[in-house]
Amino acid sequence: MMYLVAYDIELDKNRNKIAKLLLKIGLERVQYSVFIGPLTEWEYGEIQEKIEILIKEDPTYSVLFLPLHNDMIQSIVEVSSNKLDWEYLKGEKTIMIL
Amino acid sequence: MMYLVAYDIELDKNRNKIAKLLLKIGLERVQYSVFIGPLTEWEYGEIQEKIEILIKEDPTYSVLFLPLHNDMIQSIVEVSSNKLDWEYLKGEKTIMIL
């Protein structure tokens, strides 16, 4: 299943750790604090658990996890100076064009 | 239709203008750079056009517009120090609890 993960994390140290975690698990960074990519059910659970542990001492934080159905990904509109490679993000091809 | 709008805008002036625009049109700020709320088809077109005009001179920018189906909103997971009022965001009640 594809997911969008967006965060607002006050402490630099924890924000950086979580960014690394999201990239390591295979998500792509589509904005500074927004990531999109496929996660298995197991990965989805694991990542939530790891993030909860990492940020539980932070004064303020918010991490949103949105499942993205395929028809929704088709409807995403991007106004951007650097277009994303949506075919890659949708898993329709395996090499990303940057 | 409910939408999620997420932005990455380099210039403070334009970022602030777009935040004001999104709030004025009725979206709620759920993270520093993420907004959710209902938009009519007309509002959705208008807001895209206004944002495109505002940021076309920016060196780098990205604004994502995601339509959110109701079943998707039910599946959003939030790991947060300050829980959002999802019933309000889904339009199930008209007063937001902060």
Side-chain angles (χ1 to χ4, degrees), chain A residues 6-8 31-32 44 52 60-69 71-72 75-81, chain B residues 6-8 31-32 44 48 52 60-69 71-72 75-81:
Chain A
Y7 60 54
D8 227 353
Q31 290 185 349
Y32 180 70
Y44 184 55
E52 278 182 40
T60 62
Y61 59 86
S62 163
V63 187
L64 292 177
F65 297 84
L66 279 85
L68 297 177
H69 297 300
D71 64 323
M72 267 210 43
S75 322
I76 292 177
V77 169
E78 183 196 10
V79 176
S80 173
S81 57
Chain B
Y7 61 54
D8 228 353
Q31 288 185 351
Y32 180 70
Y44 183 54
Q48 273 181 36
E52 280 182 38
T60 62
Y61 57 87
S62 162
V63 187
L64 293 176
F65 298 84
L66 279 86
L68 297 177
H69 297 300
D71 65 323
M72 269 211 40
S75 322
I76 293 177
V77 168
E78 183 196 10
V79 176
S80 173
S81 56

Side-chain angles (χ1 to χ4, degrees), chain A residues 25-41:
Chain A
I25 213 160
L27 299 187
E28 296 294 331
R29 195 167 206 159
V30 299
Q31 290 185 349
Y32 180 70
S33 60
V34 180
F35 299 72
I36 290 180
L39 294 175
T40 64
E41 207 172 318

Side-chain angles (χ1 to χ4, degrees), chain A residues 8 55-56 58-64, chain B residues 29-31 78-86 89 96-98:
Chain A
D8 227 353
I55 59 179
K56 69 180 175 193
D58 276 36
T60 62
Y61 59 86
S62 163
V63 187
L64 292 177
Chain B
R29 195 168 207 157
V30 299
Q31 288 185 351
E78 183 196 10
V79 176
S80 173
S81 56
N82 183 18
K83 296 289 174 201
L84 295 169
D85 185 349
W86 288 101
L89 289 170
M96 190 177 197
I97 295 169
L98 295 169

Side-chain angles (χ1 to χ4, degrees), chain B residues 23-39:
Chain B
L23 294 170
K24 199 175 162 192
I25 212 158
L27 299 188
E28 296 293 331
R29 195 168 207 157
V30 299
Q31 288 185 351
Y32 180 70
S33 59
V34 180
F35 299 73
I36 290 180
L39 293 174

Side-chain angles (χ1 to χ4, degrees), chain A residues 3 5 18-27 39-54 63 65, chain B residues 79:
Chain A
Y3 286 90
V5 181
I18 289 170
K20 276 187 195 161
L21 185 65
L22 294 171
L23 294 171
K24 199 174 163 193
I25 213 160
L27 299 187
L39 294 175
T40 64
E41 207 172 318
W42 185 82
E43 288 169 333
Y44 184 55
E46 278 292 294
I47 210 160
Q48 272 180 38
E49 202 179 299
K50 280 181 194 293
I51 288 176
E52 278 182 40
I53 292 168
L54 266 171
V63 187
F65 297 84
Chain B
V79 176

Side-chain angles (χ1 to χ4, degrees), chain B residues 41-56:
Chain B
E41 209 172 316
W42 185 82
E43 289 169 332
Y44 183 54
E46 279 292 295
I47 211 160
Q48 273 181 36
E49 201 177 301
K50 280 181 195 293
I51 288 176
E52 280 182 38
I53 292 168
L54 267 171
I55 59 179
K56 67 180 176 194

